[in-house]
Amino acid sequence: MIIRKLNSMFRILLFFSINYFWINIHASAQLNVANKYGLYIINDINSYEKSIAADTNKRMVNILNCLPGIILDLRYATSNNFMNQKLYSRVHTTYLRAIVANALQKVSAELKNENITLKIFDAYRPHSITEKMWKIVKDDRYAADPAKGSGHNRGIAVDLTLVDMITKNELSMGTGFDNFSDTAHIDFTALPSRVLHNRNLLKSVMEKYGFISLDTEWWHFSLPDAAGYELLDLSFDDLKRIDRMYNKNDRTRKKRT
């Protein structure tokens, strides 16, 4: 009788163990299915949470919470961009990986000593938006090929300029944002000395804190080692919910300590 009960319990345990194993295998496979470009893209909250659990530097953070005084001019949340259409809806802030935001804090602190602040045009960009842009500008000097993904999709790239904190005016950079001409190139020097000074100031302070520039866009900077950060296609609403949840958990932990 006892042996029969033990056998029955063993069969039940074996059944649940096998099912648990296959459920996890299936879930893992779902997270690792390549898209039509052969890329692995995080597009759901559970996969994102697993990623940042392994490396907290990968957490996407709200720039306004990290960089007080920063100026946002999020062009793709308006129709004032090369696409002439609003690409981000209900967006009032932007996001970057925590490691990028920390580096920008150092940039901002140094520039503040010269009464200069940063204005951000774009930071995180969902992969699906990159696909839309590529349909209009199929030139990888100025738009990212969705078959490769971009630093913006990985949350490690930022488009920005400098603003005089006293006059509130942008420092002249020779061209505006998203100017697809040689004049916007980093090595273009047929510009007034003041413009060259401003570009060099932006480039030098960004590079000082670990960023690398893009040859064809004076406003674009990113962290190196892009492959270490997953491509994302999370909505801004998703990021907002996740950020609120983590901020709430952070406050709870601080109260307990």
Side-chain angles (χ1 to χ4, degrees):
M1 185 69 177
I2 294 175
I3 293 175
R4 195 177 300 121
K5 284 183 177 181
L6 287 173
N7 285 336
S8 178
M9 289 176 63
F10 175 76
R11 283 194 296 271
I12 292 170
L13 285 171
L14 182 62
F15 171 79
F16 280 109
S17 296
I18 291 172
N19 273 276
Y20 179 80
F21 172 78
W22 282 112
I23 288 170
N24 277 277
I25 287 293
H26 178 70
S28 177
Q30 289 290 94
L31 297 178
N32 291 288
V33 174
N35 71 353
K36 62 184 178 182
Y37 304 108
L39 300 175
Y40 298 101
I41 298 178
I42 289 178
N43 57 11
D44 67 276
I45 292 175
N46 288 336
S47 301
Y48 166 76
E49 288 181 328
K50 288 181 180 180
S51 170
I52 62 175
D55 185 352
T56 55
N57 279 324
K58 291 183 176 181
R59 177 177 164 183
M60 296 288 283
V61 297
N62 183 334
I63 282 298
L64 289 179
N65 293 337
C66 303
L67 291 161
I70 197 79
I71 300 172
L72 297 182
D73 182 9
L74 303 176
R75 295 295 182 85
Y76 304 125
T78 73
S79 59
N80 181 21
N81 55 64
F82 76 95
M83 299 279 287
N84 297 311
Q85 61 179 287
K86 184 184 289 188
L87 297 172
Y88 306 154
S89 61
R90 301 189 307 277
V91 174
H92 305 289
T93 187
T94 188
Y95 297 82
L96 286 168
R97 302 280 188 176
I99 191 171
V100 186
N102 291 338
L104 273 185
Q105 285 177 333
K106 296 173 183 176
V107 171
S108 181
E110 180 162 327
L111 289 171
K112 191 175 180 179
N113 295 328
E114 300 185 43
N115 289 316
I116 294 173
T117 190
L118 299 170
K119 175 186 280 190
I120 292 179
F121 298 119
D122 196 34
Y124 167 65
R125 184 183 303 158
H127 185 266
S128 55
I129 301 299
T130 292
E131 288 187 292
K132 290 183 179 180
M133 291 179 171
W134 186 249
K135 290 179 181 178
I136 303 298
V137 180
K138 292 188 176 181
D139 184 340
D140 60 11
R141 293 177 301 165
Y142 305 114
D145 184 345
K148 299 176 182 176
S150 77
H152 288 290
N153 304 152
R154 299 177 190 276
I156 61 166
V158 60
D159 296 332
L160 75 178
T161 192
L162 303 177
V163 172
D164 186 308
M165 294 174 68
I166 298 173
T167 66
K168 309 301 181 185
N169 295 325
E170 291 182 21
L171 273 60
S172 177
M173 295 293 180
T175 76
F177 171 63
D178 268 356
N179 180 287
F180 303 148
S181 72
D182 292 350
T183 311
H185 293 196
I186 290 287
D187 62 358
F188 189 87
T189 58
L191 294 164
S193 59
R194 191 62 189 167
V195 171
L196 295 175
H197 169 80
N198 294 340
R199 285 193 181 188
N200 183 64
L201 174 60
L202 176 61
K203 184 173 182 287
S204 60
V205 72
M206 292 294 285
E207 288 180 345
K208 180 177 180 180
Y209 294 103
F211 291 92
I212 55 176
S213 60
L214 180 64
D215 292 344
T216 54
E217 299 176 350
W218 59 259
W219 56 82
H220 178 102
F221 295 88
S222 63
L223 288 191
D225 303 322
Y229 301 87
E230 297 90 347
L231 293 163
L232 305 175
D233 197 23
L234 296 167
S235 72
F236 284 92
D237 285 341
D238 284 339
L239 292 179
K240 184 177 180 180
R241 280 196 299 272
I242 298 166
D243 191 56
R244 282 179 174 175
M245 178 185 68
Y246 276 91
N247 285 336
K248 182 179 179 180
N249 292 340
D250 289 343
R251 287 193 294 270
T252 301
R253 281 192 292 270
K254 285 179 181 177
K255 286 180 181 179
R256 288 175 179 173
T257 57

